[in-house]
Amino acid sequence: MATSSPIIIYFIARFITSFITSTILAISPTDNLRTDPGAIKLASIDYGHIIKEKPFAVLYPTSVDDIRTLIYLSYNSLFSYTIAAKGQAHSTWGQAQANDGVVVQMNSLNRFRNGTGILISGDRSSGFYADVGGEQLWIDVLNATLTRGLSPVSWTDYLYPTVGGTLSNAGISGHTYQKGPQITNVLELDVLTGTYYNRD
């Protein structure tokens, strides 16, 4: 009997994975949810290369609604699953991984933003601000502000991680002692809870 337990567990795990994948695809059919070995392998590693967690799927979102739908489905599925956002994978210790869950490849949004991923607004009297998608790289935010003769108040010493990734860790850098971490310079954040779903 003991020898059959791993087989039973394997088949149950495969059933759950198939059920979740088919549920996601049935409600939101898309080519953006990938389960091929190449996508899975890339989503299983991070910058530290210490922790390797294998997701059952990787979502390459074309809009924020794709991510909202994914979260909603996890809340309302018979089998909920872990979701992790992954940008440039500079996070360590598995933060951007989801064992048997879904990894959201955030920088996929760059191709569908039509130049709206970084918007610089305001004026000298009221002050300037940048409206930035979490998938954007800090180097691109810096370049966008420099074209207006501005720069971020606080940024990381290395400029190639994503905005969302550094904010999830406060955003500590050489500027922190003067300007505070990046997160203290954020005026507003949009947070996807996935507690509602609108198909229209």
Side-chain angles (χ1 to χ4, degrees):
M1 184 67 179
T3 57
S4 64
S5 295
I7 295 171
I8 292 169
I9 291 169
Y10 171 78
F11 281 119
I12 290 171
R14 295 306 304 161
F15 169 76
I16 292 171
T17 300
S18 298
F19 177 83
I20 293 171
T21 306
S22 62
T23 302
I24 294 170
L25 293 175
I27 296 176
S28 181
T30 175
D31 291 333
N32 302 329
L33 187 69
R34 293 177 48 188
T35 57
D36 59 278
I40 298 298
K41 182 178 179 183
L42 286 175
S44 299
I45 57 173
D46 61 16
Y47 185 74
H49 291 273
I50 296 172
I51 304 295
K52 294 184 179 179
E53 301 285 359
K54 188 175 177 182
F56 71 77
V58 183
L59 179 69
Y60 291 81
T62 60
S63 70
V64 172
D65 284 334
D66 288 349
I67 303 168
R68 183 183 290 115
T69 301
L70 181 71
I71 298 169
Y72 176 86
L73 292 173
S74 179
Y75 277 132
N76 293 282
S77 173
L78 190 60
F79 305 104
S80 62
Y81 47 88
T82 303
I83 300 170
K86 179 181 178 185
Q88 295 292 90
H90 286 282
S91 298
T92 57
W93 214 250
Q95 180 182 331
Q97 298 172 10
N99 190 43
D100 290 328
V102 180
V103 171
V104 180
Q105 189 61 57
M106 294 298 293
N107 51 20
S108 173
L109 288 172
N110 279 336
R111 298 194 304 272
F112 303 97
R113 288 276 196 176
N114 297 322
T116 62
I118 304 170
L119 299 174
I120 312 300
S121 302
D123 55 48
R124 296 214 175 270
S125 61
S126 63
F128 293 94
Y129 66 91
D131 188 349
V132 180
E135 77 284 352
Q136 299 296 318
L137 300 182
W138 277 105
I139 186 67
D140 296 328
V141 175
L142 178 60
N143 288 332
T145 57
L146 286 175
T147 62
R148 299 281 298 271
L150 306 165
S151 70
V153 175
S154 179
W155 64 82
T156 53
D157 297 323
Y158 178 66
L159 296 174
Y160 289 87
T162 59
V163 170
T166 60
L167 292 182
S168 73
N169 288 296
I172 307 296
S173 72
H175 296 107
T176 301
Y177 78 100
Q178 284 184 319
K179 303 295 184 179
Q182 290 172 321
I183 196 70
T184 62
N185 294 285
V186 174
L187 300 175
E188 179 182 309
L189 280 172
D190 292 332
V191 178
L192 289 177
T193 63
T195 53
Y196 74 94
Y197 173 60
N198 184 1
R199 296 187 68 179
D200 298 331

